[in-house]
Amino acid sequence: MQNSFNSWVFLFALSAAIAAFSQVLLKKSASEKHSSVLREYLNVKVIVGYGLMFCGMLMGVVAYGKGVTVQGGSVMEASGNVWIIVLSYLFFREPITKKKIIGNIMIIAGILLFNLL
């Protein structure tokens, strides 16, 4: 039973990473120039971004149904903020500032504190 729970926890963590990637993909599309309003909303990056967001959400729902607690899920969902910082640096070369580092340290500290209580 424990191995099954671990696989669902991994699935939920993966869903948070996929959701973060989909947000970065949507931002990438929004920062590009498009030939028309229709192409702005119906292009490959937007369609894939929303598709990934839906898949991530579906994975999270399945993981909740199979053994991830609401407490554990909310903690893992917060880890998506860390993913966004990393992915924004990789895709946009956005600098990782002191404020972002401090914010992420606070998020991780909150996750650890939440799990200890």
Side-chain angles (χ1 to χ4, degrees):
M1 187 69 164
Q2 185 65 22
N3 288 339
S4 173
F5 176 76
N6 288 337
S7 63
W8 298 118
V9 169
F10 175 76
L11 180 70
F12 196 91
L14 183 62
S15 77
I18 288 172
F21 181 75
S22 71
Q23 290 176 30
V24 170
L25 192 60
L26 290 169
K27 181 179 178 181
K28 182 92 168 152
S29 177
S31 66
E32 296 173 349
K33 297 280 185 194
H34 299 281
S35 60
S36 69
V37 174
L38 186 61
R39 291 227 181 251
E40 188 173 337
Y41 294 101
L42 291 176
N43 63 62
V44 173
K45 289 178 183 163
V46 169
I47 293 168
V48 170
Y50 281 118
L52 286 173
M53 191 176 292
F54 178 77
C55 288
M57 179 200 62
L58 191 61
M59 290 166 62
V61 169
V62 169
Y64 273 132
K66 297 292 185 176
V68 174
T69 64
V70 174
Q71 179 182 9
S74 63
V75 169
M76 286 181 277
E77 189 67 37
S79 71
N81 295 313
V82 178
W83 281 109
I84 290 173
I85 296 292
V86 172
L87 292 172
S88 293
Y89 173 76
L90 293 174
F91 284 94
F92 302 114
R93 296 295 178 215
E94 288 183 3
I96 300 176
T97 63
K98 287 182 183 178
K99 286 183 180 180
K100 290 178 184 178
I101 292 171
I102 291 170
N104 276 293
I105 288 171
M106 292 175 70
I107 290 169
I108 293 168
I111 290 169
L112 293 173
L113 183 63
F114 190 74
N115 278 322
L116 291 175
L117 296 178

